[in-house]
Amino acid sequence: MSNKYDVIVIGSGPAGYVAAIRAAQLGLKTACVEKWRDKDGKGVNGGTCLNVGCIPSKALLDSSHKYHEAHAAFGGHGISTGDVQIDVPSMIKRKDKIVKQMNSGISGLFKANKVDSLFGSGKLLAGKKVQVIDADGNESVYEAENVILASGSVPVNIPPAPVDGEVIVDSTGALEFQEVPERLGVIGAGVIGLELGSVWGRLGSKVVCLEALDSFLAIMDQTIAKEAKKILTKQGLDIRLSCRVTGTEVVEKGGKKEVVVTYTDQDGKDATETFDKLIVCVGRRPFTDGLLSEDCGVKLDERGSIYVNDLCSTSAPGVWAIGDVVRGPMLAHKGSEEGVMVAERIAGEKTVMNYDIIPNVIYTHPEIAAVGKTEEQLKADGEEYKVGTFPFIAIGRAVAADEGEGMVKMIAHEKTDRVLGCHIVGPNAADLVQQVAIAMEFGSTAEDIGLTVFGHPTFSEAVKEAALAVNGHAIHMPNRKKR
Ligand SMILES: Cc1cc2nc3c(=O)[nH]c(=O)nc-3n(C[C@H](O)[C@H](O)[C@H](O)COP(=O)(O)OP(=O)(O)OC[C@H]3O[C@@H](n4cnc5c(N)ncnc54)[C@H](O)[C@@H]3O)c2cc1C
C-alpha cells in the first residue's frame, strides 16, 4: 500500500465515510482512518451514528414500539395476542445484528469504491502528514494532498452525575440494558433523552426526565413543542422542567444498586428521586483528543470545535473538517452533506451547502420534525410571516391508523408566500418534513404545495392542508382566515 494519497479522512462516521466515498468516486486516491472497535475488538466503520447513535437507537425504538402496540393497541383492532412478553437480551441482540450488518455495508462500499480502510488512531501532523497507530501499537505515517478531519463528538459528562457504566450511564450505556429498569431517570429532555426515555418507557419503566431549562425543546417551534409535551406526558413520560441535578449517590438496597438523585425543582427547592438506572443525556461535545499535533496549524474555536469557514476549510491549507467536530447542529445528515461538499471542492467543483434547510427529527412516537425557521425565530428577526396549521385528526389515513394526534404547522413569508419553515408532530413526521425540505430547496410558495396533487389517503395530506391553511384555503377544516 503506497503511503501517498490525494485524500485522507480521519473518522468514518456519517461525515467521514461519505466524504471518503465521494472523493473516491471523483477519482481521488482516498484512505479513511478509523479507531472504533466493536464488542469483539474488531475495527469497524460507521462512527457514533451507526455504532451507538442513530441506527441502534432506532432499532430499539422500533422494537419497543412494536411491543407497546401489541400490548396496548392491538386490542382496539380486534387482535388478541394473549400475554405479551418482552425478552430484552433478544431485543439488544437484534440491535447488535443490525449494527453489524450496517458495519459490513460500509466496508463493502469502501471496497467497491476503492477507499483504503486504515484501522487505528489517526493524528494530523504538520505538512498534511497523518500518523496512524494500529491496535498493536504499530505506527505508520501517510501523506496527503488534502486531509479531512471527521472525528465527531462524544457525550458530555456532568460532575454531579459521574457515569459508572452500571447504574449511571450515558446514551451508549442506555442502548445496552439487559432488563427493563423499573424506575428510570433521564437527565436532559432533549432529542436523545426523549428517544431513550421513550424506548424504556414503552417497555414498562416509570420514566422521569429532569430538564434544567424552563422551556421544553427550546430550539423547536413552541406550538409544536407544547403539543409534543402534551402527547408525551399522556404516554407516561414525567417531564420536569427547570429541574437542575445537583448530586447523585449510588446506594445498595436489598442486594440491588440504585441511585439517589438530588436536584433543585421548579420552585428552587431541594428534591430527591430514586432510580434503578439513570441516563445522562445533557448533550455532546466535539471530539479532538489526540487528533492534532501542536504544529499542524488547525485551530479550535471557543467551544472546542475545529474552526472552519462556510466551506469547511480549517485554518491550515489543504485541511478540512466536517460533521459534529465543527460548528452547526450535531446531525448525521449535516455531516454527510459537508462530506460531499468538501470532496467535490477538493475535486475542483464549486459545490456549496445550504445550511438553512437541514431537517431535524426526534423519533418519539409520534415523531417530531422540523425544517427551516420557527415562528419564534421569525418574530425575533422581525420577519413578516403567515402561518397555517392542520391537525392529523382531520386526515382520514391518520384516523384509520389510530394516529390522529399532532399537527402540521407551515410558515410562509407574508408577502411572497415563500415557505420559510415547517414543523410537525405526528405520524411519519420525519418523512413528511422532508417533502417540504425539497419544496423549500426549489423556492416553493405555500400556494405551490397547496396546488400539488397529493395521494389520498395519505398522512402527507396534512402537509398540503397546512399549506392551504396558510392562505385560508384548507378544505377539511374551517379556516381562520377566509380568502
Ligand atoms: C443515541 C443517539 C441517537 C442519535 N440519533 C440521531 C438521529 O436520529 N439523527 C441524526 O441525524 N443524528 C443522530 N445522532 C447524532 C449523530 O450520531 C451524529 O451527529 C453523527 O454520528 C456525527 O457524525 P460524524 O461523522 O461527525 O461523527 P461520529 O459519528 O462521531 O464519527 C466520528 C468517528 O471518528 C472516529 N475518530 C475520532 N478520532 C479519531 C482518531 N484520532 N483517529 C481515528 N478515528 C477517530 C471515531 O471513532 C468515530 O468513529 C444520534 C446520536 C446519539 C448518541
Side-chain angles (χ1 to χ4, degrees):
M1 203 184 278
S2 152
N3 275 17
K4 284 203 168 155
Y5 285 94
D6 295 319
V7 177
I8 296 180
V9 184
I10 303 182
S12 71
Y17 86 75
V18 169
I21 290 173
R22 188 69 191 120
Q25 282 174 349
L26 292 162
L28 300 165
K29 186 171 156 47
T30 305
C32 187
V33 187
E34 176 56 63
K35 69 185 177 73
W36 200 290
R37 315 216 130 242
D38 68 9
K39 288 177 181 172
D40 305 323
K42 189 176 148 232
V44 285
N45 294 308
T48 303
C49 165
L50 207 164
N51 293 295
V52 295
C54 319
I55 302 303
S57 60
K58 270 69 218 178
L60 297 187
L61 278 159
D62 282 334
S63 295
S64 59
H65 181 61
K66 282 187 177 8
Y67 170 78
H68 184 258
E69 289 267 283
H71 196 68
F74 279 10
H77 293 261
I79 304 168
S80 51
T81 52
D83 191 16
V84 180
Q85 301 287 335
I86 179 75
D87 174 352
V88 177
S90 295
M91 184 181 83
I92 301 293
K93 268 194 202 128
R94 172 186 173 272
K95 178 262 301 176
D96 289 343
K97 203 170 137 208
I98 289 164
V99 169
K100 249 195 179 136
Q101 181 186 334
M102 305 294 290
N103 286 143
S104 53
I106 297 181
S107 300
L109 286 171
F110 274 4
K111 273 200 194 104
N113 286 285
K114 300 194 171 49
V115 174
D116 287 343
S117 213
L118 309 173
F119 286 112
S121 229
K123 182 179 209 164
L124 177 69
L125 310 177
K128 292 181 287 184
K129 289 195 171 69
V130 174
Q131 175 203 58
V132 179
I133 299 182
D134 72 14
D136 300 321
N138 302 313
E139 180 188 330
S140 315
V141 176
Y142 300 86
E143 279 176 52
E145 291 295 320
N146 287 274
V147 177
I148 305 176
L149 304 171
S151 53
S153 62
V154 288
V156 168
N157 292 315
I158 50 168
V163 168
D164 64 9
E166 191 188 351
V167 184
I168 307 178
V169 298
D170 58 18
S171 60
T172 302
L175 300 169
E176 298 296 333
F177 293 160
Q178 294 298 313
E179 58 184 49
V180 180
E182 207 173 298
R183 300 159 302 174
L184 175 65
V186 182
I187 307 182
V191 179
I192 297 175
L194 290 177
E195 291 188 1
L196 294 172
S198 293
V199 166
W200 297 104
R202 289 170 196 167
L203 298 177
S205 292
K206 190 177 172 322
V207 182
V208 178
C209 298
L210 300 171
E211 168 59 57
L213 293 179
D214 60 1
S215 61
F216 180 60
L217 294 177
I219 56 157
M220 305 294 277
D221 187 280
Q222 285 303 295
T223 313
I224 295 300
K226 281 194 186 107
E227 182 73 10
K229 184 163 183 280
K230 241 193 291 170
I231 296 171
L232 297 176
T233 303
K234 207 167 86 190
Q235 288 173 8
L237 285 189
D238 181 351
I239 301 164
R240 302 183 193 170
L241 302 177
S242 302
C243 288
R244 186 172 291 277
V245 172
T246 51
T248 52
E249 190 188 357
V250 177
V251 294
E252 213 157 313
K253 200 170 168 199
K256 266 189 100 176
K257 283 187 178 169
E258 57 185 31
V259 54
V260 181
V261 176
T262 49
Y263 64 98
T264 46
D265 68 13
Q266 44 275 64
D267 303 319
K269 294 204 180 94
D270 289 340
T272 62
E273 198 71 59
T274 304
F275 303 110
D276 300 298
K277 298 275 186 198
L278 178 67
I279 313 175
V280 183
C281 285
V282 293
R284 297 180 63 81
R285 64 170 175 85
F287 181 73
T288 54
D289 297 5
L291 178 72
L292 307 169
S293 69
E294 265 178 28
D295 56 354
C296 71
V298 171
K299 291 200 178 94
L300 303 185
D301 65 19
E302 65 287 350
R303 305 178 74 188
S305 304
I306 294 177
Y307 172 76
V308 287
N309 65 12
D310 285 352
L311 300 173
C312 292
S313 290
T314 70
S315 41
V319 181
W320 312 72
I322 56 176
D324 280 10
V325 78
V326 302
R327 83 286 176 262
M330 288 189 173
L331 292 168
H333 42 285
K334 173 260 189 187
S336 298
E337 287 309 314
E338 287 176 335
V340 169
M341 171 177 73
V342 166
E344 294 185 352
R345 288 247 149 205
I346 291 171
E349 297 180 13
K350 297 277 174 245
T351 315
V352 289
M353 179 173 158
N354 185 356
Y355 282 94
D356 290 335
I357 303 179
I358 300 177
N360 189 3
V361 180
I362 307 174
Y363 290 85
T364 45
H365 191 92
E367 293 168 349
I368 306 162
V371 64
K373 294 265 169 85
T374 63
E375 188 169 356
E376 290 73 25
Q377 283 170 327
L378 291 167
K379 246 185 215 151
D381 293 350
E383 280 280 9
E384 289 180 86
Y385 63 88
K386 48 193 174 178
V387 173
T389 57
F390 198 85
F392 281 97
I393 196 67
I395 293 293
R397 179 77 187 88
V399 175
D402 272 345
E403 297 279 8
E405 286 183 314
M407 64 161 93
V408 177
K409 174 173 177 179
M410 184 87 65
I411 313 180
H413 192 274
E414 174 64 34
K415 295 210 173 80
T416 65
D417 196 40
R418 198 168 167 151
V419 177
L420 301 174
C422 180
H423 309 274
I424 306 177
V425 53
N428 298 1
D431 296 292
L432 299 188
V433 99
Q434 194 59 51
Q435 303 180 352
V436 183
I438 297 171
M440 287 173 73
E441 275 291 348
F442 285 89
S444 171
T445 60
E447 186 186 29
D448 290 329
I449 297 178
L451 285 170
T452 304
V453 181
F454 280 63
H456 174 77
T458 57
F459 297 118
S460 64
E461 286 171 289
V463 171
K464 177 187 170 93
E465 289 275 6
L468 287 170
V470 166
N471 292 310
H473 301 162
I475 300 292
H476 293 90
M477 188 186 66
N479 288 285
R480 266 189 277 157
K481 294 179 226 169
K482 289 218 169 52
R483 297 200 180 172

